Coordinates of all heavy atoms in Angstrom, one line a residue:
M25 N 0.9 -1.2 0.1 CA 0.0 0.0 -0.1 C 0.8 1.2 0.0 O 1.6 1.6 0.9 CB -0.9 0.0 1.3 CG -1.7 1.0 1.4 SD -2.7 1.2 3.0 CE -3.0 -0.5 3.4
S26 N 0.9 2.0 -1.0 CA 1.7 3.1 -1.1 C 0.9 4.4 -0.7 O -0.3 4.4 -1.0 CB 2.3 3.3 -2.5 OG 1.4 3.6 -3.5
S27 N 1.6 5.5 -0.4 CA 1.0 6.6 0.0 C 1.4 7.8 -0.9 O 2.5 7.9 -1.2 CB 1.4 7.0 1.4 OG 1.0 8.2 1.7
V28 N 0.4 8.6 -1.4 CA 0.8 9.6 -2.1 C 0.9 10.9 -1.2 O 0.0 11.3 -0.5 CB -0.3 10.0 -3.2 CG1 -0.1 11.2 -4.0 CG2 -0.6 8.8 -4.1
V29 N 2.1 11.4 -1.2 CA 2.4 12.6 -0.4 C 2.7 13.8 -1.1 O 3.5 13.7 -2.0 CB 3.7 12.1 0.6 CG1 3.9 13.3 1.6 CG2 3.3 11.0 1.5
E30 N 2.0 14.9 -0.8 CA 2.3 16.1 -1.4 C 3.7 16.6 -1.2 O 4.1 16.6 0.0 CB 1.3 17.1 -1.1 CG 1.2 18.4 -1.8 CD 0.1 19.4 -1.5 OE1 -1.1 18.8 -1.4 OE2 0.4 20.5 -1.2
K31 N 4.5 17.0 -2.2 CA 5.8 17.5 -1.9 C 5.8 18.9 -1.4 O 5.2 19.8 -2.0 CB 6.7 17.4 -3.1 CG 8.1 17.9 -3.0 CD 9.0 16.9 -3.7 CE 10.4 17.3 -3.6 NZ 11.2 16.4 -3.0
Q32 N 6.3 19.0 -0.2 CA 6.4 20.3 0.4 C 7.8 20.6 0.8 O 8.6 19.8 1.1 CB 5.5 20.3 1.8 CG 4.0 20.2 1.6 CD 3.2 20.1 2.8 OE1 3.8 19.9 3.8 NE2 2.0 20.1 2.7
E33 N 8.1 21.9 0.9 CA 9.4 22.4 1.3 C 9.6 22.2 2.8 O 8.8 22.4 3.5 CB 9.7 23.8 1.0 CG 11.0 24.3 1.4 CD 11.2 25.8 1.0 OE1 10.3 26.5 0.8 OE2 12.4 26.2 1.1
K34 N 10.6 21.4 3.1 CA 10.9 21.1 4.6 C 12.1 21.8 5.0 O 13.2 21.7 4.5 CB 11.1 19.5 4.7 CG 10.1 18.7 3.9 CD 9.3 17.8 5.0 CE 8.1 17.2 4.4 NZ 8.0 16.6 3.1
L35 N 11.7 22.6 6.0 CA 12.8 23.6 6.5 C 13.4 23.2 7.9 O 14.3 23.7 8.3 CB 12.3 25.0 6.6 CG 11.8 25.7 5.4 CD1 11.2 26.9 5.7 CD2 12.9 25.7 4.4
Y36 N 12.8 22.2 8.6 CA 13.1 21.9 9.9 C 13.4 20.3 10.1 O 12.8 19.5 9.3 CB 12.0 22.3 10.9 CG 11.6 23.6 10.8 CD1 10.5 24.0 9.9 CD2 12.4 24.7 11.4 CE1 10.2 25.4 9.9 CE2 12.1 25.9 11.4 CZ 11.0 26.4 10.6 OH 10.7 27.7 10.4
R37 N 14.3 20.0 11.0 CA 14.7 18.7 11.2 C 14.4 18.3 12.6 O 14.3 19.2 13.5 CB 16.1 18.4 11.0 CG 16.7 18.4 9.7 CD 18.1 18.2 9.6 NE 18.4 16.8 10.1 CZ 18.5 15.7 9.3 NH1 18.0 15.8 8.2 NH2 18.7 14.5 9.9
M38 N 14.1 17.1 12.9 CA 13.9 16.7 14.3 C 14.7 15.3 14.6 O 14.3 14.3 13.9 CB 12.4 16.4 14.8 CG 12.2 16.0 16.1 SD 10.5 16.1 16.6 CE 9.8 14.5 15.9
D39 N 15.7 15.3 15.3 CA 16.4 14.1 15.6 C 16.0 13.5 16.9 O 15.9 14.2 17.9 CB 18.0 14.4 15.7 CG 18.5 15.1 14.4 OD1 18.2 14.4 13.3 OD2 19.2 16.0 14.4
I40 N 15.8 12.2 16.9 CA 15.4 11.4 18.0 C 16.2 10.3 18.2 O 16.8 9.7 17.3 CB 13.8 11.1 18.0 CG1 13.6 10.2 16.8 CG2 13.1 12.3 18.0 CD1 12.2 9.6 16.8
R41 N 16.5 9.8 19.5 CA 17.2 8.7 19.8 C 16.3 7.5 19.9 O 15.2 7.7 20.6 CB 18.1 9.0 21.0 CG 19.1 10.0 20.9 CD 20.1 9.9 22.1 NE 21.0 10.9 22.0 CZ 22.2 10.9 21.3 NH1 22.3 9.8 20.6 NH2 23.0 11.8 21.1
L42 N 16.7 6.3 19.4 CA 15.8 5.2 19.4 C 16.8 4.0 19.9 O 17.9 4.0 19.7 CB 15.4 4.8 18.0 CG 14.6 5.9 17.2 CD1 14.4 5.5 15.8 CD2 13.3 6.1 17.9
T43 N 16.0 3.0 20.5 CA 16.7 1.8 20.7 C 16.7 1.0 19.4 O 15.9 1.3 18.4 CB 15.9 0.9 21.8 OG1 14.7 0.6 21.3 CG2 15.8 1.6 23.1
K44 N 17.6 0.0 19.4 CA 17.6 -0.8 18.1 C 16.2 -1.5 17.8 O 15.9 -1.5 16.7 CB 18.7 -1.9 18.2 CG 18.9 -2.7 16.9 CD 20.1 -3.6 17.1 CE 20.4 -4.2 15.8 NZ 21.6 -5.1 15.7
P45 N 15.6 -2.1 18.8 CA 14.2 -2.7 18.5 C 13.3 -1.7 18.0 O 12.5 -2.0 17.1 CB 13.9 -3.3 19.7 CG 15.1 -3.5 20.6 CD 16.0 -2.5 20.2
Q46 N 13.3 -0.6 18.5 CA 12.4 0.6 18.0 C 12.7 0.8 16.6 O 11.8 1.0 15.7 CB 12.5 1.9 18.8 CG 11.9 1.8 20.2 CD 12.2 3.1 21.0 OE1 13.4 3.6 21.1 NE2 11.2 3.7 21.7
R47 N 13.9 1.1 16.3 CA 14.2 1.5 14.8 C 13.8 0.3 13.9 O 13.3 0.4 12.8 CB 15.8 1.6 14.8 CG 16.4 1.9 13.3 CD 16.0 3.2 12.9 NE 16.3 3.4 11.5 CZ 16.7 4.4 10.9 NH1 16.6 5.6 11.7 NH2 17.0 4.5 9.6
I48 N 14.1 -1.0 14.3 CA 13.7 -2.1 13.5 C 12.2 -2.2 13.3 O 11.7 -2.4 12.2 CB 14.3 -3.5 14.1 CG1 15.8 -3.5 14.0 CG2 13.7 -4.7 13.5 CD1 16.4 -4.5 14.8
N49 N 11.5 -2.0 14.4 CA 10.0 -2.0 14.3 C 9.4 -0.9 13.4 O 8.6 -1.1 12.6 CB 9.4 -1.8 15.7 CG 9.3 -3.2 16.4 OD1 9.4 -4.2 15.8 ND2 9.2 -3.1 17.7
Y50 N 10.0 0.3 13.5 CA 9.6 1.4 12.7 C 9.9 1.3 11.2 O 9.0 1.6 10.4 CB 10.1 2.7 13.2 CG 9.7 3.1 14.7 CD1 10.6 4.0 15.4 CD2 8.8 2.5 15.4 CE1 10.3 4.4 16.7 CE2 8.5 2.8 16.7 CZ 9.3 3.8 17.4 OH 9.1 4.1 18.6
E51 N 11.1 0.8 11.0 CA 11.4 0.5 9.7 C 10.6 -0.5 9.1 O 10.1 -0.5 7.8 CB 12.9 0.0 9.5 CG 13.9 1.1 9.7 CD 15.3 0.8 9.7 OE1 15.5 -0.5 10.0 OE2 16.2 1.7 9.5
R52 N 10.1 -1.6 9.8 CA 9.4 -2.6 9.2 C 8.0 -2.1 8.9 O 7.4 -2.3 8.0 CB 9.2 -3.8 10.3 CG 8.4 -5.0 9.8 CD 8.7 -6.3 10.4 NE 8.0 -7.3 9.7 CZ 7.1 -8.0 10.2 NH1 6.8 -8.0 11.6 NH2 6.4 -9.0 9.6
A53 N 7.4 -1.4 9.9 CA 6.1 -0.8 9.8 C 6.1 0.2 8.6 O 5.1 0.1 7.7 CB 5.7 0.0 11.0
A54 N 7.1 1.0 8.3 CA 7.2 1.8 7.2 C 7.3 1.0 5.9 O 6.5 1.4 5.0 CB 8.3 2.7 7.4
S55 N 8.1 0.0 5.9 CA 8.1 -0.9 4.8 C 6.7 -1.5 4.4 O 6.4 -1.5 3.2 CB 9.2 -1.9 5.0 OG 9.3 -2.8 3.9
L56 N 6.1 -2.0 5.3 CA 4.8 -2.6 5.2 C 3.7 -1.7 4.6 O 2.9 -2.0 4.0 CB 4.3 -3.2 6.5 CG 5.0 -4.4 6.9 CD1 4.6 -4.8 8.4 CD2 4.9 -5.7 5.9
R57 N 3.8 -0.4 4.7 CA 3.0 0.7 4.2 C 3.6 1.2 3.0 O 3.0 2.1 2.3 CB 2.9 1.8 5.2 CG 2.2 1.4 6.6 CD 0.7 1.7 6.4 NE 0.1 1.5 7.6 CZ -1.3 1.5 7.7 NH1 -2.0 1.9 6.6 NH2 -1.8 1.2 8.8
G58 N 4.7 0.9 2.5 CA 5.4 1.3 1.3 C 5.8 2.8 1.5 O 5.7 3.7 0.6
Q59 N 6.2 3.1 2.7 CA 6.8 4.6 3.1 C 8.0 4.5 3.6 O 8.6 3.5 4.0 CB 5.7 5.1 4.2 CG 4.3 5.2 3.8 CD 3.5 5.7 5.1 OE1 3.7 5.2 6.2 NE2 2.5 6.6 4.8
T60 N 8.7 5.7 3.4 CA 10.0 5.8 4.1 C 9.8 5.9 5.7 O 8.6 6.2 6.2 CB 10.7 7.1 3.7 OG1 10.0 8.2 4.1 CG2 11.0 7.2 2.1
I61 N 10.9 5.7 6.4 CA 10.6 5.9 7.8 C 10.3 7.2 8.3 O 9.5 7.4 9.1 CB 11.9 5.4 8.7 CG1 11.6 5.2 10.1 CG2 13.1 6.3 8.3 CD1 12.7 4.3 11.0
T62 N 10.7 8.3 7.5 CA 10.3 9.6 7.8 C 8.8 9.8 7.5 O 8.1 10.5 8.3 CB 11.2 10.7 6.9 OG1 12.5 10.4 7.3 CG2 10.7 12.0 7.1
Q63 N 8.3 9.3 6.3 CA 6.8 9.5 6.1 C 6.1 8.8 7.1 O 5.0 9.3 7.5 CB 6.6 8.8 4.6 CG 7.2 9.6 3.4 CD 7.1 8.9 2.2 OE1 7.2 7.6 2.2 NE2 6.9 9.6 1.1
W64 N 6.4 7.5 7.5 CA 5.7 6.9 8.5 C 5.6 7.6 9.8 O 4.7 7.8 10.5 CB 6.2 5.4 8.6 CG 5.6 4.5 9.5 CD1 4.5 3.7 9.3 CD2 5.8 4.4 10.9 NE1 4.1 3.1 10.5 CE2 4.8 3.5 11.5 CE3 6.7 5.0 11.9 CZ2 4.8 3.2 12.8 CZ3 6.7 4.6 13.2 CH2 5.7 3.7 13.7
A65 N 6.9 8.1 10.2 CA 6.9 8.7 11.5 C 6.2 10.0 11.6 O 5.5 10.2 12.5 CB 8.5 8.9 11.9
T66 N 6.4 10.8 10.5 CA 5.6 12.1 10.5 C 4.1 11.8 10.5 O 3.4 12.6 11.0 CB 6.1 13.0 9.5 OG1 5.9 12.4 8.2 CG2 7.5 13.6 9.6
A67 N 3.7 10.8 9.7 CA 2.3 10.6 9.7 C 1.6 10.2 11.1 O 0.6 10.8 11.6 CB 2.0 9.5 8.7
H68 N 2.5 9.4 11.9 CA 2.0 9.0 13.2 C 2.3 10.2 14.2 O 1.4 10.3 15.1 CB 2.8 7.8 13.7 CG 2.3 6.6 13.0 ND1 2.6 6.3 11.7 CD2 1.5 5.6 13.5 CE1 2.1 5.1 11.4 NE2 1.3 4.7 12.4
L69 N 3.3 11.0 14.0 CA 3.3 12.2 14.9 C 2.3 13.2 14.5 O 1.6 13.7 15.5 CB 4.7 12.9 14.6 CG 5.9 12.2 15.3 CD1 7.3 12.8 14.7 CD2 5.9 12.3 16.7
D70 N 1.8 13.3 13.3 CA 0.6 14.3 13.0 C -0.6 13.7 13.7 O -1.4 14.6 14.3 CB 0.6 14.4 11.5 CG 1.6 15.1 10.7 OD1 2.4 15.8 11.4 OD2 1.7 15.0 9.6
E71 N -0.8 12.4 13.6 CA -2.0 12.0 14.1 C -2.1 12.0 15.7 O -3.1 12.4 16.2 CB -2.2 10.3 13.6 CG -3.3 9.6 14.2 CD -3.2 8.1 13.9 OE1 -2.8 7.8 12.7 OE2 -3.4 7.4 14.8
G72 N -0.9 11.7 16.3 CA -0.9 11.9 17.6 C -1.0 13.3 18.1 O -1.7 13.6 19.2
A73 N -0.4 14.2 17.5 CA -0.5 15.6 17.8 C -2.0 16.1 17.6 O -2.4 16.8 18.6 CB 0.4 16.5 16.9
R74 N -2.6 15.7 16.6 CA -4.0 16.0 16.5 C -4.9 15.5 17.7 O -5.7 16.3 18.1 CB -4.5 15.6 15.1 CG -4.3 16.6 13.9 CD -5.0 16.2 12.6 NE -4.8 14.8 12.2 CZ -3.8 14.4 11.5 NH1 -2.9 15.3 11.0 NH2 -3.6 13.2 11.2
R75 N -4.6 14.2 17.9 CA -5.5 13.6 19.0 C -5.2 14.4 20.3 O -6.1 14.6 20.9 CB -5.0 12.2 19.1 CG -5.9 11.4 20.2 CD -5.4 10.0 20.4 NE -4.0 9.9 20.7 CZ -2.9 9.5 20.1 NH1 -3.1 9.0 18.9 NH2 -1.6 9.6 20.6
D76 N -4.0 14.6 20.6 CA -3.6 15.2 21.9 C -4.2 16.6 22.0 O -4.7 17.0 23.1 CB -2.1 15.2 22.2 CG -1.5 13.9 22.5 OD1 -2.3 12.9 22.7 OD2 -0.2 13.7 22.4
I77 N -4.0 17.4 21.0 CA -4.6 18.8 20.9 C -6.2 18.7 21.0 O -6.7 19.5 21.8 CB -4.2 19.6 19.6 CG1 -2.7 19.7 19.6 CG2 -5.1 20.8 19.4 CD1 -2.0 20.2 18.3
D78 N -6.8 17.8 20.3 CA -8.2 17.7 20.4 C -8.8 17.3 21.8 O -9.7 17.9 22.3 CB -8.8 16.6 19.4 CG -8.8 17.1 18.0 OD1 -8.6 18.3 17.7 OD2 -8.8 16.2 17.2
E79 N -8.0 16.3 22.5 CA -8.3 16.0 23.8 C -8.1 17.0 24.9 O -8.9 17.1 25.8 CB -7.4 14.8 24.2 CG -7.8 13.5 23.6 CD -7.0 12.3 24.0 OE1 -6.1 12.4 24.9 OE2 -7.0 11.2 23.4
A80 N -7.1 17.9 24.6 CA -6.9 19.1 25.5 C -7.8 20.3 25.3 O -8.0 21.0 26.2 CB -5.5 19.4 25.4
T81 N -8.3 20.4 24.0 CA -9.0 21.6 23.8 C -10.6 21.4 23.5 O -11.2 22.4 23.1 CB -8.4 22.2 22.6 OG1 -8.5 21.4 21.4 CG2 -7.1 22.7 22.8
T82 N -11.1 20.1 23.6 CA -12.5 19.7 23.3 C -13.1 19.4 24.6 O -12.7 18.6 25.5 CB -12.6 18.6 22.3 OG1 -11.9 19.0 21.1 CG2 -14.0 18.3 21.9
T83 N -14.3 19.9 24.8 CA -15.2 19.6 25.9 C -16.3 18.7 25.6 O -17.0 19.0 24.5 CB -15.8 20.9 26.5 OG1 -14.7 21.7 27.0 CG2 -16.6 20.6 27.7
A84 N -16.4 17.6 26.1 CA -17.4 16.6 25.8 C -18.6 16.8 26.9 O -18.2 16.8 27.9 CB -17.0 15.3 25.7
L85 N -19.8 16.8 26.3 CA -20.9 16.8 27.2 C -21.7 15.5 27.2 O -21.8 14.9 26.1 CB -21.8 18.0 26.8 CG -21.2 19.3 26.8 CD1 -22.2 20.4 26.3 CD2 -20.9 19.8 28.3
S86 N -22.4 15.2 28.2 CA -23.3 14.0 28.3 C -24.5 14.5 27.4 O -24.6 15.7 27.2 CB -23.7 13.7 29.7 OG -24.4 14.8 30.2
L87 N -25.4 13.5 27.1 CA -26.6 14.0 26.2 C -27.5 14.9 27.1 O -27.8 15.9 26.6 CB -27.3 12.6 25.9 CG -26.7 11.8 24.9 CD1 -27.6 10.5 24.8 CD2 -26.5 12.5 23.5
E88 N -27.6 14.6 28.4 CA -28.4 15.6 29.2 C -27.7 16.9 29.3 O -28.4 17.9 29.2 CB -28.5 14.9 30.6 CG -29.4 15.8 31.5 CD -29.5 15.2 32.9 OE1 -29.3 13.9 33.2 OE2 -29.7 15.9 33.9
A89 N -26.4 17.0 29.5 CA -25.8 18.3 29.6 C -25.9 19.1 28.3 O -26.0 20.2 28.2 CB -24.3 18.1 29.9
F90 N -25.8 18.4 27.1 CA -25.8 19.0 25.8 C -27.3 19.5 25.6 O -27.4 20.7 25.1 CB -25.6 18.0 24.7 CG -25.5 18.5 23.3 CD1 -24.6 19.3 22.8 CD2 -26.7 18.3 22.5 CE1 -24.7 19.9 21.6 CE2 -26.8 18.8 21.2 CZ -25.8 19.6 20.9
D91 N -28.4 18.8 26.0 CA -29.7 19.2 25.9 C -29.8 20.5 26.7 O -30.5 21.6 26.3 CB -30.7 18.2 26.2 CG -30.8 17.0 25.3 OD1 -30.2 17.3 24.0 OD2 -31.2 16.0 25.6
T92 N -29.4 20.5 28.0 CA -29.5 21.6 28.8 C -28.8 22.9 28.2 O -29.2 24.1 28.2 CB -28.8 21.3 30.1 OG1 -29.6 20.2 30.7 CG2 -28.8 22.6 31.1
F93 N -27.5 22.6 27.7 CA -26.7 23.7 27.1 C -27.4 24.3 25.8 O -27.6 25.5 25.7 CB -25.3 23.1 26.5 CG -24.4 24.1 25.8 CD1 -23.9 25.1 26.5 CD2 -24.3 23.8 24.6 CE1 -23.1 26.1 25.8 CE2 -23.4 24.8 23.8 CZ -22.8 25.9 24.5
C94 N -28.2 23.4 25.1 CA -28.9 24.0 23.9 C -30.1 24.8 24.3 O -30.4 25.9 23.7 CB -29.3 22.8 23.0 SG -28.0 22.0 22.1
E95 N -30.7 24.3 25.3 CA -31.8 25.1 25.9 C -31.5 26.4 26.4 O -32.0 27.5 26.1 CB -32.5 24.3 27.0 CG -33.4 23.1 26.6 CD -33.9 22.3 27.8 OE1 -33.8 22.8 29.0 OE2 -34.2 21.2 27.6
M96 N -30.3 26.5 27.0 CA -29.7 27.8 27.6 C -29.4 28.7 26.3 O -29.6 29.9 26.4 CB -28.6 27.6 28.4 CG -28.8 26.9 29.8 SD -27.3 26.3 30.6 CE -26.6 28.0 31.0
L97 N -28.9 28.2 25.3 CA -28.6 29.0 24.1 C -29.8 29.6 23.4 O -29.8 30.7 22.9 CB -27.8 28.2 23.0 CG -26.3 27.8 23.5 CD1 -25.7 27.0 22.4 CD2 -25.4 29.0 23.6
E98 N -30.9 28.8 23.5 CA -32.1 29.2 22.7 C -32.9 30.1 23.7 O -33.8 30.8 23.1 CB -32.9 27.9 22.3 CG -32.2 27.1 21.3 CD -32.7 25.9 20.9 OE1 -33.7 25.5 21.6 OE2 -32.2 25.2 20.0
S99 N -32.7 30.1 25.0 CA -33.6 30.9 25.8 C -33.1 32.4 25.9 O -32.0 32.6 25.6 CB -33.7 30.3 27.2 OG -32.4 30.3 27.8
P100 N -33.8 33.4 26.2 CA -33.5 34.7 26.3 C -32.4 34.9 27.5 O -32.5 34.0 28.4 CB -34.8 35.4 26.6 CG -35.9 34.5 26.5 CD -35.4 33.1 26.5
M101 N -31.6 35.8 27.3 CA -30.6 36.1 28.4 C -31.3 36.6 29.6 O -32.2 37.6 29.4 CB -29.6 37.2 27.8 CG -28.4 36.5 27.1 SD -27.1 37.8 26.8 CE -27.7 38.5 25.5
P102 N -30.8 36.3 30.7 CA -31.3 36.9 32.0 C -31.2 38.4 31.9 O -30.2 39.0 31.3 CB -30.6 36.3 33.2 CG -30.0 35.2 32.5 CD -29.8 35.4 31.1
K103 N -32.1 39.2 32.5 CA -31.9 40.7 32.7 C -30.6 41.2 33.2 O -30.0 42.0 32.6 CB -33.1 41.2 33.4 CG -33.1 42.7 33.7 CD -33.8 43.4 32.7 CE -34.0 45.0 33.1 NZ -32.9 45.8 32.7
T104 N -30.1 40.5 34.2 CA -28.8 40.9 34.7 C -27.7 40.8 33.7 O -26.7 41.6 33.6 CB -28.3 40.1 36.0 OG1 -28.6 38.6 35.7 CG2 -29.4 40.4 37.2
T105 N -27.8 39.7 32.8 CA -26.8 39.5 31.8 C -26.7 40.6 30.7 O -25.8 41.2 30.3 CB -26.8 38.2 31.2 OG1 -26.7 37.1 32.2 CG2 -25.7 37.9 30.1
Q106 N -28.1 41.0 30.4 CA -28.3 42.0 29.4 C -27.8 43.4 29.9 O -27.1 44.1 29.1 CB -29.8 42.1 29.1 CG -30.3 40.9 28.3 CD -31.9 40.9 28.1 OE1 -32.4 42.1 28.2 NE2 -32.5 39.8 27.8
D107 N -28.0 43.6 31.2 CA -27.5 44.9 31.8 C -26.1 44.8 31.8 O -25.4 45.9 31.4 CB -28.0 45.0 33.2 CG -29.5 45.3 33.3 OD1 -30.2 45.5 32.2 OD2 -30.1 45.1 34.4
L108 N -25.4 43.7 32.1 CA -24.0 43.7 32.1 C -23.4 44.0 30.8 O -22.4 44.7 30.6 CB -23.4 42.4 32.6 CG -22.1 42.2 32.8 CD1 -21.4 43.2 33.8 CD2 -21.7 40.7 33.3
L109 N -23.9 43.4 29.7 CA -23.6 43.6 28.3 C -23.7 45.1 27.8 O -22.9 45.5 27.0 CB -24.2 42.7 27.4 CG -23.9 41.2 27.5 CD1 -24.6 40.2 26.7 CD2 -22.3 40.9 27.2
T110 N -24.6 45.8 28.4 CA -24.9 47.2 27.9 C -24.1 48.2 28.7 O -24.2 49.3 28.4 CB -26.4 47.5 27.8 OG1 -27.0 47.3 29.2 CG2 -27.2 46.5 26.8
R111 N -23.5 47.8 29.8 CA -22.9 48.7 30.7 C -21.6 49.2 30.2 O -20.9 48.4 29.4 CB -22.5 47.9 32.1 CG -22.3 48.9 33.2 CD -22.2 48.0 34.5 NE -21.0 47.2 34.6 CZ -20.7 46.5 35.6 NH1 -21.6 46.2 36.5 NH2 -19.6 45.9 35.6
K112 N -21.3 50.4 30.4 CA -20.1 51.0 29.7 C -18.9 50.5 30.5 O -18.9 50.2 31.7 CB -20.1 52.6 30.0 CG -18.9 53.3 29.5 CD -19.1 54.8 29.8 CE -17.8 55.5 29.2 NZ -17.9 56.9 29.4
A113 N -17.8 50.1 29.7 CA -16.6 49.6 30.3 C -15.8 50.5 31.2 O -15.9 51.7 30.9 CB -15.7 49.1 29.2
V114 N -15.2 50.0 32.2 CA -14.6 50.8 33.0 C -13.5 51.7 32.5 O -12.9 52.6 33.0 CB -14.1 50.1 34.4 CG1 -15.1 49.6 35.2 CG2 -13.2 49.0 33.9
W115 N -12.8 51.1 31.5 CA -11.6 51.7 30.8 C -12.1 52.8 29.8 O -11.1 53.5 29.2 CB -10.7 50.8 30.2 CG -11.4 49.8 29.1 CD1 -11.6 50.0 27.9 CD2 -11.9 48.6 29.4 NE1 -12.2 49.0 27.3 CE2 -12.5 48.1 28.2 CE3 -12.1 47.7 30.5 CZ2 -13.1 46.9 28.1 CZ3 -12.7 46.5 30.4 CH2 -13.2 46.1 29.2
E116 N -13.3 52.9 29.6 CA -13.7 53.9 28.7 C -13.9 55.3 29.2 O -14.3 55.5 30.4 CB -15.0 53.5 28.0 CG -14.9 52.3 27.0 CD -16.2 52.0 26.4 OE1 -17.4 52.6 26.7 OE2 -16.2 51.0 25.5

C-alpha cells in the first residue's frame, strides 16, 4: 500500500534517539506501508498531535448536559446579563 504525499518544502529537522528494537519496528512498519521511515513517523506524529490537541481543547458533554446547554442558548438572556453587556466599560 503506497501513500501519495504532496511534496512540500521542509525547513526543519527533528532528531530522536531510538533503541535498536524501536528502529527495526519502525522501519518494518514503514516498509509494510510502502513508506520511508520519515513518512511513516511524521504521519504518526501528526495523528498523535491532532489527537492530543483535540483531547486538551475539546469539551465533551453528556446527552443531558448537551440538551441543557442547547436550551440555555435558545432561551432569552437573563436581565442581569443583558444589563452587564450594555454597561459602559470601566476603561472607557
Side-chain angles (χ1 to χ4, degrees):
M25 177 185 330
S26 68
S27 172
V28 177
V29 177
E30 191 175 309
K31 183 130 175 124
Q32 296 176 348
E33 184 178 12
K34 309 248 172 36
L35 301 175
Y36 304 96
R37 292 183 58 89
M38 184 170 77
D39 295 315
I40 59 172
R41 296 192 179 277
L42 304 171
T43 64
K44 186 173 184 175
Q46 286 175 314
R47 177 70 186 211
I48 290 168
N49 281 338
Y50 300 164
E51 286 176 338
R52 182 162 188 239
S55 175
L56 291 168
R57 294 268 183 186
Q59 297 175 318
T60 66
I61 193 168
T62 298
Q63 291 169 328
W64 183 88
T66 55
H68 284 78
L69 285 168
D70 289 344
E71 178 184 320
R74 276 190 303 274
R75 182 188 61 246
D76 290 349
I77 291 166
D78 286 348
E79 286 176 6
T81 60
T82 301
T83 301
L85 300 174
S86 67
L87 291 176
E88 182 182 335
F90 180 76
D91 290 342
T92 301
F93 177 71
C94 288
E95 287 173 17
M96 291 172 67
L97 289 175
E98 293 170 358
S99 63
M101 272 193 273
K103 172 93 171 90
T104 53
T105 304
Q106 292 176 21
D107 293 344
L108 182 63
L109 291 172
T110 59
R111 199 168 76 183
K112 184 177 178 181
V114 294
W115 56 84
E116 290 180 357

